[in-house]
């Protein structure tokens, strides 16, 4: 859940690095890549790497510190990778010069002194030119190995944390402790309010700001209650009254106000609470969590209203009867409330550092409710099976697969929490909810692109199956993969590592293949393929009809030339890419 809050931008910065108690020589592990007279300063690198090795080997080094060390090692690794190509042009020239001298003489053969002397000079130059690249490659291997070690350590820590066994929330012996923690939190919140009210200065601040507070509360109620309902009714009226070409597009854009304006209303309420001067530490934490809570609930309601609309026409994403759509909207709101409840619990109680038993018992009802909602939602989505039997729609098959996954997670999550694996349950239930929201948003966004394309092309019907909307949907799916990885527990550094490996390329047959090579290969191959198709068209329509060859022979020749052209295009593309 903290990961979700981090994405919304309300989590504080990472904790500061621990102070070292050891007196080690050399620069700190956070030293940036620096250059000496002719390249990287390897003295700075050696000191940084030695200090990093010590910190990595210390099992008490915090996870935040490990991430900080890894970030600096990644910067050094990138600089060292670039340094490996030092003098590459000059090295290639010297090698060509050596090749121009011919092969070295074999045993018993004598080479002219002038050529032998020149060969030795060039060999000496080559060794000196290759030295910086060799040093950079050795240092690169060291940095890469340290990064791999950090990643392995962090993955092990993450796995240990997920599989850590907490006190079971079903054990009645843990309930009194949890009740004490809950009552203690409520009492502290009441004491904060009572102490502030008894303070004349705080009470004076409240009365001085009372007009502002009342105005903000009225604005909050208007935006959260009345404006939100008006926006929903207006969006539905657009669906029924606007032209077929633009009604879905404009109705969807207007409906976004159902998220933005109510969230602003919650922010106005938070402003009013903070302006009162009556909030203490716990009250302030709860108040600061309210914008996130409001955004989550309103977004869940918006997604539910789009996925399970009241007014559903032809081509609906989820072909369900009205009563099932109403249930889907209700379950979507409940999912938002479950996530919001966990966020409020965390804001109110985590700062008090209560025991694991208290956290386990307080989290279990929320997790159980979330599991039941997921199971019910999976059952609702499985009702689309009736439409799947009537059509070969690929999207409905994906929805059926998603429904099964939600049902499984909804059952397994609470069972794990009941046995005490609370964090494992949280790592299943909340990501499943957020993933469902993301998939729903992708469906909505793809339909918005299709409707927008229909407006651009001035088509009377939404052209969602045109090439551009389909390609845009495919691109959105690819872009969503990193988000799904983050939702399910991947670290951001894991994604950057994948991207680094991708940009570095890979070795194939003694050659290093990079993404640039793939782009060159694709461009050259496409050009060759297009030329082949053009030549086939010319043969079919202009040249072969003037010959005496029968129709079957003409078709065979055109097909054969197509195969040969594609083969030649691939060979030329491979050569152009340097493979």
């Amino acid at each position: 859940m903290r990961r979700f809050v981090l994405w919304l931008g309300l989590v504080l910065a990472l904790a500061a690095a621990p102070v070292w108690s050891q007196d080690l020589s050399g620069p700190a592990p956070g030293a940036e890549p620096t250059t000496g007279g002719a390249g990287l300063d390897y003295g700075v690198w050696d000191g940084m790497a030695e200090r990093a090795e010590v910190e990595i080997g210390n099992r008490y080094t915090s996870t935040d510190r490990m991430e900080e060390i890894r970030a600096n090692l990644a910067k050094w690794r990138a600089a060292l990778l670039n340094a490996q190509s030092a003098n590459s042009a000059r090295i290639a020239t010297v090698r060509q010069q050596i090749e121009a001298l011919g092969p070295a003489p074999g045993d018993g053969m004598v080479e002219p002194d002038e050529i032998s002397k020149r060969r030795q000079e060039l060999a000496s130059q080559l060794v000196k030119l290759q030295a910086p690249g060799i040093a950079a490659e050795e240092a690169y291997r060291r940095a890469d190995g340290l990064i791999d070690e950090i990643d392995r350590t962090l993955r092990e820590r993450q796995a240990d944390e997920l599989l850590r066994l907490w006190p079971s929330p079903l054990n009645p012996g843990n309930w009194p402790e949890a009740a004490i923690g809950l009552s203690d939190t409520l009492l502290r919140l009441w004491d904060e309010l009572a102490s502030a009210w008894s303070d004349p200065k705080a009470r004076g601040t409240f009365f001085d700001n009372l007009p502002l507070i009342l105005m903000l509360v009225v604005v909050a109620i208007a935006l959260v209650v009345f404006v939100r309902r008006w926006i929903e009714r207006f969006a539905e009226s657009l669906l029924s009254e606007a032209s077929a070409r633009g009604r879905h597009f404009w109705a969807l854009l207007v409906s976004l106000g159902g998220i933005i304006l109510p969230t602003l209303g919650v922010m106005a309420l938070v402003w009013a609470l903070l302006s009162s001067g009556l909030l203490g530490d716990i009250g302030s934490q709860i108040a600061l969590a309210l914008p996130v809570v409001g955004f989550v609930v309103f977004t869940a309601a918006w997604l539910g209203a789009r996925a399970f609309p009241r007014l559903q026409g032809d081509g609906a994403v989820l072909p369900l009867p009205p009563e099932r759509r109403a249930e889907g909207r209700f379950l979507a709101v409940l999912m938002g409330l479950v996530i919001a409840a966990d966020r409020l619990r965390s804001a109110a109680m985590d700062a008090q550092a209560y025991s694991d038993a208290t956290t386990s018992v307080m989290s279990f009802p929320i997790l159980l409710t979330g599991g039941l909602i997921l199971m019910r939602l999976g059952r609702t989505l499985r009702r689309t099976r009736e439409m799947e039997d009537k059509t070969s729609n690929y999207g409905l098959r994906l929805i059926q697969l998603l429904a099964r996954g939600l049902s499984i997670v909804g059952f397994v999550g609470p069972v794990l929490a009941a046995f005490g694996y609370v964090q494992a349950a949280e790592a299943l239930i909340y990501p499943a909810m957020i993933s469902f929201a993301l998939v729903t948003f992708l469906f909505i966004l793809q339909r918005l692109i299709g409707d927008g394309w229909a407006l651009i092309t001035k088509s009377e019907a939404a052209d969602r199956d045109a090439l551009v909307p389909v390609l845009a949907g495919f691109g959105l799916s690819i872009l969503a993969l990193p988000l799904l990885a983050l939702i399910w527990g991947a670290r951001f550094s894991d994604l950057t590592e994948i991207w680094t490996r991708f940009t570095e390329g890979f070795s194939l047959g003694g050659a290093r293949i990079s993404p640039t090579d793939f782009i060159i290969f694709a461009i050259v191959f496409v050009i060759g393929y297009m030329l082949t198709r053009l030549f086939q068209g010319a043969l079919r329509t202009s040249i072969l009809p003037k010959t005496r060859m029968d129709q079957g022979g003409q078709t065979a020749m055109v097909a054969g030339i197509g195969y040969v052209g594609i083969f030649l295009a691939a060979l030329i593309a491979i050569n152009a890419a340097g493979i």
Side-chain angles (χ1 to χ4, degrees):
M1 189 59 207
R2 297 187 184 91
R3 190 183 301 275
F4 176 72
V5 178
L6 175 63
W7 298 332
L8 296 175
L10 295 182
V11 175
L12 297 176
L14 295 175
V19 179
W20 272 81
S21 59
Q22 305 177 28
D23 185 13
L24 299 174
S25 60
E32 299 284 340
T34 56
T35 57
L40 289 174
D41 190 337
Y42 288 95
V44 175
W45 157 248
D46 288 336
M48 185 267 182
E50 290 174 2
R51 179 65 68 88
E53 289 172 347
V54 174
E55 290 202 55
I56 294 171
N58 184 1
R59 64 190 184 94
Y60 296 106
T61 303
S62 67
T63 298
D64 293 340
R65 180 57 176 164
M66 285 283 198
E67 291 283 7
E68 181 183 352
I69 297 172
R70 191 198 183 284
N72 284 283
L73 285 172
K75 293 178 182 178
W76 272 99
R77 184 178 62 178
L80 291 167
L81 179 64
N82 293 330
Q84 291 182 32
S85 60
N87 304 325
S88 57
R90 182 61 182 149
I91 289 173
T93 302
V94 172
R95 284 177 174 169
Q96 292 175 358
Q97 291 178 274
I98 294 175
E99 291 176 0
L101 296 177
D107 295 339
M109 297 182 65
V110 179
E111 189 176 38
D113 292 340
E114 183 178 356
I115 297 178
S116 178
K117 182 178 180 182
R118 183 57 179 164
R119 188 187 301 278
Q120 292 178 2
E121 291 176 355
L122 292 174
S124 177
Q125 290 182 26
L126 183 61
V127 170
K128 292 180 180 179
L129 291 171
Q130 289 177 329
I134 294 174
E137 184 175 1
E138 182 275 331
Y140 172 86
R141 300 299 178 189
R142 186 181 185 184
D144 194 56
L146 290 174
I147 289 175
D148 288 341
E149 188 175 347
I150 290 175
D151 288 339
R152 183 171 59 254
T153 300
L154 293 179
R155 282 193 294 267
E156 291 173 353
R157 289 183 179 182
Q158 190 176 28
D160 292 340
E161 191 68 19
L162 287 177
L163 298 178
R164 187 162 67 93
L165 185 62
W166 291 29
S168 172
L170 299 183
N171 184 359
N174 297 322
W175 297 350
E177 187 175 356
I180 292 174
L182 177 61
S183 61
D184 179 69
T185 301
L186 295 177
L187 287 175
R188 289 189 182 192
L189 182 61
W190 176 259
D191 289 341
E192 288 177 357
L193 294 173
S195 299
W197 185 256
S198 61
D199 185 2
K201 183 178 180 180
R203 195 166 56 249
T205 301
F206 171 76
F207 285 112
D208 291 341
N209 294 333
L210 186 58
L212 175 63
I213 295 172
L214 293 176
M215 182 187 68
L216 291 173
V217 170
V218 171
V219 170
I221 294 174
L223 292 176
V224 173
V225 179
F226 300 104
V227 174
R228 179 172 171 270
R229 293 179 180 176
W230 179 82
I231 289 175
E232 283 294 329
R233 287 196 295 267
F234 182 59
E236 291 180 359
S237 67
L238 285 177
L239 283 175
S240 58
E241 298 175 3
S243 65
R245 186 170 63 211
R247 62 186 179 188
H248 293 285
F249 183 82
W250 297 116
L252 184 60
L253 291 183
V254 168
S255 68
L256 288 174
I259 299 176
I260 299 172
L261 295 179
T263 302
L264 292 177
V266 175
M267 295 177 67
L269 177 61
V270 172
W271 187 4
L273 293 175
L274 296 177
S275 300
S276 67
L278 301 178
L279 299 182
D281 293 335
I282 299 178
S284 298
Q285 290 292 331
I286 296 175
L288 292 175
L290 288 179
V292 179
V293 168
F295 178 80
V296 168
V297 174
F298 299 137
T299 301
W302 180 81
L303 290 173
R306 306 285 81 74
F308 308 96
R310 299 178 188 275
L311 303 176
Q312 181 167 273
D314 296 334
V317 177
L318 298 175
L320 294 169
E323 62 275 7
R324 293 301 177 187
R325 297 202 304 271
E327 182 182 10
R329 292 191 297 271
F330 178 69
L331 292 174
V333 175
L334 286 183
M335 281 196 297
L337 292 175
V338 165
I339 296 176
D342 184 76
R343 175 60 188 141
L344 290 175
R345 181 206 59 79
S346 176
M349 301 187 69
D350 282 358
Q352 318 307 321
Y354 293 117
S355 65
D356 291 344
T358 300
T359 304
S360 176
V361 173
M362 296 302 302
S363 300
F364 181 73
I366 304 175
L367 293 171
L368 179 60
T369 304
L372 294 175
I373 292 172
L374 289 176
M375 293 176 63
R376 187 66 184 181
L377 181 62
R379 180 181 175 183
T380 300
L381 293 178
R382 284 199 298 272
R383 297 299 296 268
T384 59
R385 187 185 298 111
E386 301 172 0
M387 292 300 300
E388 184 185 5
D389 297 336
K390 303 177 183 178
T391 179
S392 59
N393 192 333
Y394 181 69
L396 292 181
R397 296 197 184 112
L398 290 179
I399 291 172
Q400 288 297 312
L401 183 61
L402 178 62
R404 294 189 185 96
L406 292 176
S407 299
I408 293 173
V409 170
F411 175 77
V412 173
V415 172
L416 289 175
F419 281 102
Y421 295 100
V422 176
Q423 288 189 305
E426 291 179 348
L428 282 176
I429 292 177
Y430 299 133
M433 291 181 175
I434 301 171
S435 298
F436 174 75
L438 179 60
V439 171
T440 304
F441 178 74
L442 289 177
F443 270 109
I444 295 171
L445 190 56
Q446 185 176 6
R447 292 214 153 200
L448 177 64
I449 294 173
D451 295 332
W453 182 251
L455 282 175
I456 295 173
T457 58
K458 298 182 179 180
S459 173
E460 287 302 323
D463 198 4
R464 301 186 183 106
D465 295 329
L467 179 61
V468 172
V470 170
L471 291 178
F474 179 75
L476 290 173
S477 301
I478 297 299
L479 293 176
L481 293 179
L483 292 177
L484 284 173
L486 292 173
I487 289 171
W488 286 97
R491 302 177 358 257
F492 185 76
S493 57
D494 292 333
L495 302 182
T496 58
E497 184 68 13
I498 293 175
W499 178 251
T500 300
R501 298 298 185 188
F502 175 74
T503 54
E504 288 179 4
F506 59 91
S507 296
L508 179 64
R512 177 163 288 276
I513 310 301
S514 66
T516 305
D517 298 327
F518 281 111
I519 295 174
I520 295 174
F521 173 84
I523 293 174
V524 174
F525 180 77
V526 169
I527 293 174
Y529 178 77
M530 292 174 63
L531 292 176
T532 300
R533 299 294 292 177
L534 288 174
F535 186 60
Q536 283 181 294
L539 280 176
R540 184 183 299 109
T541 59
S542 301
I543 299 176
L544 292 179
K546 298 178 181 180
T547 65
R548 296 181 179 180
M549 188 178 299
D550 58 23
Q551 187 63 36
Q554 293 180 16
T555 303
M557 178 172 284
V558 171
I561 289 177
Y563 292 135
V564 173
I566 292 175
F567 179 72
L568 291 176
L571 286 180
I572 296 172
I574 290 173
N575 183 64
I579 300 177

